[in-house]
C-alpha cells in the first residue's frame, strides 16, 4: 500500500509564502504523474498543479504564484506557494498516479488570514 504524506501547511498572512511537501512511502514507484489539488470551504476539490516527464501544468487561479517541483529520487513532490491570498485557504491534497492507479494523501490545511 502506497501512502502519501503532506507537510508544510499552516497559517500565513496574505502576501506570504508556504512550501508544501508530499512524500511517498515507497521509492520503488516511478509515478507517471504527481500533482496537487485543493478543497476550499464549501466547495468541490479542484486540481491546481501537476508534474510529469512532459512538464508542468497549472490552474489559472494559481499560475504565476505557485510552482510545482519534484524530487524523483525521493518520490517527493513540492508546491511552492507565493503571494498567497485569502481565497487560497483550503485543504491541499497530494496525488500520484502509477500503473493506472491514483493515490491520495490525507490533506493538509493552509489558512491565509491576517
Amino acid at each position: 500500500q502506497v501512502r502519501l504524506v503532506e507537510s508544510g501547511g499552516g497559517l500565513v498572512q496574505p502576501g506570504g509564502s508556504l512550501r508544501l511537501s508530499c512524500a511517498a512511502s515507497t521509492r520503488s514507484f516511478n509515478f507517471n504523474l504527481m500533482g496537487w489539488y485543493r478543497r476550499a470551504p464549501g466547495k468541490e476539490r479542484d486540481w491546481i498543479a501537476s508534474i510529469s516527464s512532459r512538464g508542468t501544468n497549472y490552474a489559472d487561479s494559481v499560475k504565476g504564484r505557485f510552482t510545482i517541483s519534484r524530487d524523483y529520487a525521493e518520490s517527493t513532490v513540492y508546491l511552492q506557494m507565493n503571494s498567497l491570498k485569502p481565497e487560497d485557504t483550503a485543504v491541499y491534497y497530494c496525488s500520484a498516479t502509477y500503473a493506472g492507479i491514483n493515490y491520495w494523501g490525507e490533506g493538509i490545511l493552509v489558512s491565509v488570514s491576517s
Side-chain angles (χ1 to χ4, degrees), residues 20-36:
L20 302 183
S21 300
C22 170
S25 58
T26 176
R27 297 177 186 176
S28 301
F29 288 5
N30 184 13
F31 295 104
N32 308 102
L33 183 72
M34 299 188 80
W36 291 92

Side-chain angles (χ1 to χ4, degrees), residues 8-108:
L11 175 64
V12 63
Q13 292 186 340
S17 298
L18 280 177
R19 188 191 195 209
L20 302 183
S21 300
C22 170
S25 58
T26 176
R27 297 177 186 176
S28 301
F29 288 5
N30 184 13
F31 295 104
N32 308 102
L33 183 72
M34 299 188 80
W36 291 92
Y37 290 70
R38 68 185 181 188
R39 189 197 304 271
K43 296 188 177 181
E44 299 290 319
R45 183 162 58 185
D46 291 327
W47 166 81
I48 57 172
S50 58
I51 185 167
S52 71
S53 60
R54 287 177 287 185
T56 58
N57 286 285
Y58 299 92
D60 288 342
S61 59
V62 305
K63 197 174 295 182
R65 299 187 299 123
F66 291 9
T67 302
I68 188 171
S69 61
R70 179 176 172 178
D71 183 331
Y72 283 84
E74 298 295 327
S75 290
T76 300
V77 63
Y78 304 96
L79 187 68
Q80 177 66 42
M81 305 185 294
N82 298 329
S83 302
L84 283 161
K85 306 174 182 179
E87 52 263 44
D88 294 317
T89 295
V91 176
Y92 284 70
Y93 299 89
C94 168
S95 75
T97 303
Y98 178 77
I101 298 174
N102 201 41
Y103 301 91
W104 291 94
E106 294 186 353
I108 192 164

